[in-house]
């Protein structure tokens, strides 16, 4: 079975979120486990941010917030799995992480029905990654 082609914008957004987590807490934004670069068998270095996963609060069906910076955090695999299988804890974590005001605004944006400008989003995240801007 063929794997579906990965959306380049998903890759840019995921890289931004994981690098932002490294800048914020040095690793997982939930358990705060630090992540460090690792050396591959070929001698190359695997950057620390690649040990994290991009975790969304609101899923793919809500395209209005798919690439919203408040809708994602960088998590270790264990925390991502735990939150994915515990919806109440998932909601509580994002509410704590964002605070009530930002959480409510994310929910409002979630209900928006506009079409995303994917090209503009790609330019935006490429620029943020190039400049190392994590806020």
């Amino acid at each position: 079975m063929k794997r579906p082609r990965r959306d380049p914008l998903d890759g840019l957004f995921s890289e931004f979120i994981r690098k932002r987590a490294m800048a914020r807490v040095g690793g997982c934004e939930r358990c705060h486990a630090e992540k460090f670069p690792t050396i591959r068998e070929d001698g190359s270095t695997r950057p620390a941010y690649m040990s994290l996963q991009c975790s969304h609060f609101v899923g793919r069906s809500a395209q209005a917030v798919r690439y919203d910076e408040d809708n994602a955090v960088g998590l270790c695999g264990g925390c991502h799995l735990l939150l994915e299988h515990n919806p109440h804890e998932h909601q509580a974590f994002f509410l704590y992480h964002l605070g009530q005001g930002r959480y409510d605004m994310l929910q409002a944006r979630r209900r928006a029905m506009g079409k995303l400008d994917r090209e503009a989003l790609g330019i935006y995240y490429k620029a943020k990654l190039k400049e190392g801007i994590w806020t």
Side-chain angles (χ1 to χ4, degrees):
M1 185 172 163
K2 237 178 152 177
R3 287 181 71 176
R5 187 173 164 265
R6 181 164 178 171
D7 184 330
L9 186 53
D10 279 344
L12 282 173
F13 182 72
S14 175
E15 182 180 348
F16 170 77
I17 293 298
R18 293 176 292 142
K19 285 182 174 178
R20 182 185 71 180
M22 291 300 300
R24 284 179 171 175
V25 298
C28 178
E29 291 188 83
R30 181 179 174 272
C31 71
H32 300 276
E34 288 185 67
K35 299 297 178 185
F36 301 96
T38 55
I39 306 298
R40 296 180 175 126
E41 286 184 23
D42 67 1
S44 63
T45 302
R46 182 177 186 247
Y49 80 89
M50 292 183 77
S51 298
L52 296 173
Q53 299 174 5
C54 178
S55 175
H56 289 79
F57 175 55
V58 179
R60 290 181 182 269
S61 62
Q63 283 294 306
V65 292
R66 177 76 187 146
Y67 305 105
D68 189 309
E69 294 171 33
D70 280 344
N71 187 38
V73 291
L75 299 178
C76 65
C79 287
H80 195 181
L81 189 64
L82 179 112
L83 293 181
E84 186 177 306
H85 292 286
N86 295 284
H88 295 295
E89 191 160 339
H90 195 205
Q91 181 179 8
F93 169 73
F94 268 87
L95 180 57
Y96 172 78
H97 179 74
L98 293 173
Q100 189 69 56
R102 284 175 54 208
Y103 180 87
D104 290 344
M105 291 303 297
L106 176 63
Q107 294 300 335
R109 291 191 303 273
R110 173 188 197 172
R111 293 184 287 276
M113 299 301 285
K115 185 172 171 131
L116 296 176
D117 185 340
R118 298 176 56 77
E119 186 176 337
L121 284 165
I123 292 167
Y124 174 76
Y125 284 112
K126 281 179 187 173
K128 286 189 96 161
L129 286 165
K130 183 179 179 184
E131 299 299 322
I133 301 169
W134 314 121
T135 56

